[in-house]
PDB file of all heavy atoms in Angstrom:
ATOM      1  N   LEU A 168      34.058  96.976  -8.719  1.00  0.00           N
ATOM      2  CA  LEU A 168      33.794  98.394  -8.447  1.00  0.00           C
ATOM      3  C   LEU A 168      32.445  98.857  -8.994  1.00  0.00           C
ATOM      4  O   LEU A 168      32.051 100.006  -8.770  1.00  0.00           O
ATOM      5  CB  LEU A 168      34.913  99.257  -9.047  1.00  0.00           C
ATOM      6  CG  LEU A 168      36.325  98.975  -8.525  1.00  0.00           C
ATOM      7  CD1 LEU A 168      37.338  99.863  -9.226  1.00  0.00           C
ATOM      8  CD2 LEU A 168      36.392  99.169  -7.020  1.00  0.00           C
ATOM      9  N   THR A 169      31.735  97.979  -9.698  1.00  0.00           N
ATOM     10  CA  THR A 169      30.441  98.343 -10.273  1.00  0.00           C
ATOM     11  C   THR A 169      29.363  98.312  -9.202  1.00  0.00           C
ATOM     12  O   THR A 169      29.241  97.335  -8.462  1.00  0.00           O
ATOM     13  CB  THR A 169      30.057  97.367 -11.407  1.00  0.00           C
ATOM     14  OG1 THR A 169      31.134  97.257 -12.337  1.00  0.00           O
ATOM     15  CG2 THR A 169      28.820  97.854 -12.142  1.00  0.00           C
ATOM     16  N   SER A 170      28.577  99.375  -9.107  1.00  0.00           N
ATOM     17  CA  SER A 170      27.524  99.444  -8.086  1.00  0.00           C
ATOM     18  C   SER A 170      26.413  98.440  -8.395  1.00  0.00           C
ATOM     19  O   SER A 170      26.230  98.033  -9.555  1.00  0.00           O
ATOM     20  CB  SER A 170      26.932 100.854  -8.036  1.00  0.00           C
ATOM     21  OG  SER A 170      26.189 101.125  -9.220  1.00  0.00           O
ATOM     22  N   GLU A 171      25.655  98.073  -7.359  1.00  0.00           N
ATOM     23  CA  GLU A 171      24.544  97.130  -7.567  1.00  0.00           C
ATOM     24  C   GLU A 171      23.527  97.694  -8.544  1.00  0.00           C
ATOM     25  O   GLU A 171      22.985  96.959  -9.382  1.00  0.00           O
ATOM     26  CB  GLU A 171      23.874  96.792  -6.229  1.00  0.00           C
ATOM     27  CG  GLU A 171      24.663  95.814  -5.388  1.00  0.00           C
ATOM     28  CD  GLU A 171      23.845  95.261  -4.236  1.00  0.00           C
ATOM     29  OE1 GLU A 171      22.602  95.436  -4.232  1.00  0.00           O
ATOM     30  OE2 GLU A 171      24.444  94.663  -3.318  1.00  0.00           O
ATOM     31  N   LYS A 172      23.274  98.977  -8.441  1.00  0.00           N
ATOM     32  CA  LYS A 172      22.308  99.609  -9.357  1.00  0.00           C
ATOM     33  C   LYS A 172      22.782  99.467 -10.800  1.00  0.00           C
ATOM     34  O   LYS A 172      21.996  99.085 -11.688  1.00  0.00           O
ATOM     35  CB  LYS A 172      22.146 101.085  -8.995  1.00  0.00           C
ATOM     36  CG  LYS A 172      21.209 101.867  -9.928  1.00  0.00           C
ATOM     37  CD  LYS A 172      21.080 103.317  -9.454  1.00  0.00           C
ATOM     38  CE  LYS A 172      20.146 104.119 -10.345  1.00  0.00           C
ATOM     39  NZ  LYS A 172      20.706 104.347 -11.697  1.00  0.00           N
ATOM     40  N   ARG A 173      24.054  99.734 -11.015  1.00  0.00           N
ATOM     41  CA  ARG A 173      24.582  99.650 -12.378  1.00  0.00           C
ATOM     42  C   ARG A 173      24.653  98.201 -12.851  1.00  0.00           C
ATOM     43  O   ARG A 173      24.421  97.917 -14.031  1.00  0.00           O
ATOM     44  CB  ARG A 173      25.959 100.314 -12.425  1.00  0.00           C
ATOM     45  CG  ARG A 173      26.460 100.549 -13.833  1.00  0.00           C
ATOM     46  CD  ARG A 173      27.672 101.474 -13.859  1.00  0.00           C
ATOM     47  NE  ARG A 173      28.117 101.747 -15.221  1.00  0.00           N
ATOM     48  CZ  ARG A 173      27.620 102.694 -16.008  1.00  0.00           C
ATOM     49  NH1 ARG A 173      26.647 103.451 -15.553  1.00  0.00           N
ATOM     50  NH2 ARG A 173      28.069 102.865 -17.234  1.00  0.00           N
ATOM     51  N   ILE A 174      24.966  97.272 -11.945  1.00  0.00           N
ATOM     52  CA  ILE A 174      24.984  95.855 -12.310  1.00  0.00           C
ATOM     53  C   ILE A 174      23.616  95.437 -12.850  1.00  0.00           C
ATOM     54  O   ILE A 174      23.517  94.756 -13.877  1.00  0.00           O
ATOM     55  CB  ILE A 174      25.382  94.979 -11.112  1.00  0.00           C
ATOM     56  CG1 ILE A 174      26.873  95.145 -10.810  1.00  0.00           C
ATOM     57  CG2 ILE A 174      25.070  93.506 -11.377  1.00  0.00           C
ATOM     58  CD1 ILE A 174      27.320  94.507  -9.519  1.00  0.00           C
ATOM     59  N   LYS A 175      22.569  95.856 -12.170  1.00  0.00           N
ATOM     60  CA  LYS A 175      21.219  95.499 -12.615  1.00  0.00           C
ATOM     61  C   LYS A 175      20.889  96.144 -13.960  1.00  0.00           C
ATOM     62  O   LYS A 175      20.252  95.527 -14.820  1.00  0.00           O
ATOM     63  CB  LYS A 175      20.204  95.908 -11.550  1.00  0.00           C
ATOM     64  CG  LYS A 175      20.311  95.074 -10.275  1.00  0.00           C
ATOM     65  CD  LYS A 175      19.394  95.582  -9.182  1.00  0.00           C
ATOM     66  CE  LYS A 175      19.528  94.732  -7.913  1.00  0.00           C
ATOM     67  NZ  LYS A 175      18.723  95.248  -6.788  1.00  0.00           N
ATOM     68  N   GLU A 176      21.350  97.383 -14.160  1.00  0.00           N
ATOM     69  CA  GLU A 176      21.108  98.064 -15.436  1.00  0.00           C
ATOM     70  C   GLU A 176      21.883  97.387 -16.569  1.00  0.00           C
ATOM     71  O   GLU A 176      21.373  97.239 -17.689  1.00  0.00           O
ATOM     72  CB  GLU A 176      21.506  99.533 -15.316  1.00  0.00           C
ATOM     73  CG  GLU A 176      20.572 100.337 -14.413  1.00  0.00           C
ATOM     74  CD  GLU A 176      21.082 101.717 -14.083  1.00  0.00           C
ATOM     75  OE1 GLU A 176      22.266 102.017 -14.390  1.00  0.00           O
ATOM     76  OE2 GLU A 176      20.318 102.521 -13.510  1.00  0.00           O
ATOM     77  N   ILE A 177      23.110  96.971 -16.282  1.00  0.00           N
ATOM     78  CA  ILE A 177      23.921  96.278 -17.289  1.00  0.00           C
ATOM     79  C   ILE A 177      23.305  94.926 -17.623  1.00  0.00           C
ATOM     80  O   ILE A 177      23.255  94.511 -18.788  1.00  0.00           O
ATOM     81  CB  ILE A 177      25.376  96.132 -16.791  1.00  0.00           C
ATOM     82  CG1 ILE A 177      26.074  97.495 -16.883  1.00  0.00           C
ATOM     83  CG2 ILE A 177      26.139  95.062 -17.570  1.00  0.00           C
ATOM     84  CD1 ILE A 177      27.441  97.548 -16.258  1.00  0.00           C
ATOM     85  N   ASN A 178      22.809  94.230 -16.610  1.00  0.00           N
ATOM     86  CA  ASN A 178      22.115  92.964 -16.845  1.00  0.00           C
ATOM     87  C   ASN A 178      20.944  93.177 -17.806  1.00  0.00           C
ATOM     88  O   ASN A 178      20.750  92.404 -18.753  1.00  0.00           O
ATOM     89  CB  ASN A 178      21.623  92.398 -15.523  1.00  0.00           C
ATOM     90  CG  ASN A 178      20.750  91.165 -15.701  1.00  0.00           C
ATOM     91  OD1 ASN A 178      21.222  90.075 -15.993  1.00  0.00           O
ATOM     92  ND2 ASN A 178      19.439  91.350 -15.516  1.00  0.00           N
ATOM     93  N   ASP A 179      20.195  94.227 -17.587  1.00  0.00           N
ATOM     94  CA  ASP A 179      19.040  94.504 -18.443  1.00  0.00           C
ATOM     95  C   ASP A 179      19.461  94.884 -19.864  1.00  0.00           C
ATOM     96  O   ASP A 179      18.790  94.515 -20.838  1.00  0.00           O
ATOM     97  CB  ASP A 179      18.198  95.638 -17.841  1.00  0.00           C
ATOM     98  CG  ASP A 179      17.502  95.222 -16.548  1.00  0.00           C
ATOM     99  OD1 ASP A 179      17.396  94.009 -16.295  1.00  0.00           O
ATOM    100  OD2 ASP A 179      17.096  96.118 -15.781  1.00  0.00           O
ATOM    101  N   ALA A 180      20.582  95.616 -20.000  1.00  0.00           N
ATOM    102  CA  ALA A 180      21.018  96.096 -21.314  1.00  0.00           C
ATOM    103  C   ALA A 180      21.685  95.006 -22.142  1.00  0.00           C
ATOM    104  O   ALA A 180      21.658  95.051 -23.373  1.00  0.00           O
ATOM    105  CB  ALA A 180      21.988  97.263 -21.145  1.00  0.00           C
ATOM    106  N   THR A 181      22.269  94.010 -21.470  1.00  0.00           N
ATOM    107  CA  THR A 181      23.015  92.961 -22.157  1.00  0.00           C
ATOM    108  C   THR A 181      22.077  92.049 -22.942  1.00  0.00           C
ATOM    109  O   THR A 181      21.062  91.600 -22.427  1.00  0.00           O
ATOM    110  CB  THR A 181      23.806  92.127 -21.132  1.00  0.00           C
ATOM    111  OG1 THR A 181      24.850  92.937 -20.580  1.00  0.00           O
ATOM    112  CG2 THR A 181      24.417  90.894 -21.768  1.00  0.00           C
TER     113      THR A 181
END
Side-chain angles (χ1 to χ4, degrees):
L168 300 178
T169 309
S170 69
E171 283 193 13
K172 177 178 181 291
R173 193 167 183 85
I174 288 171
K175 291 174 180 176
E176 290 170 350
I177 286 172
N178 173 75
D179 291 343
T181 291

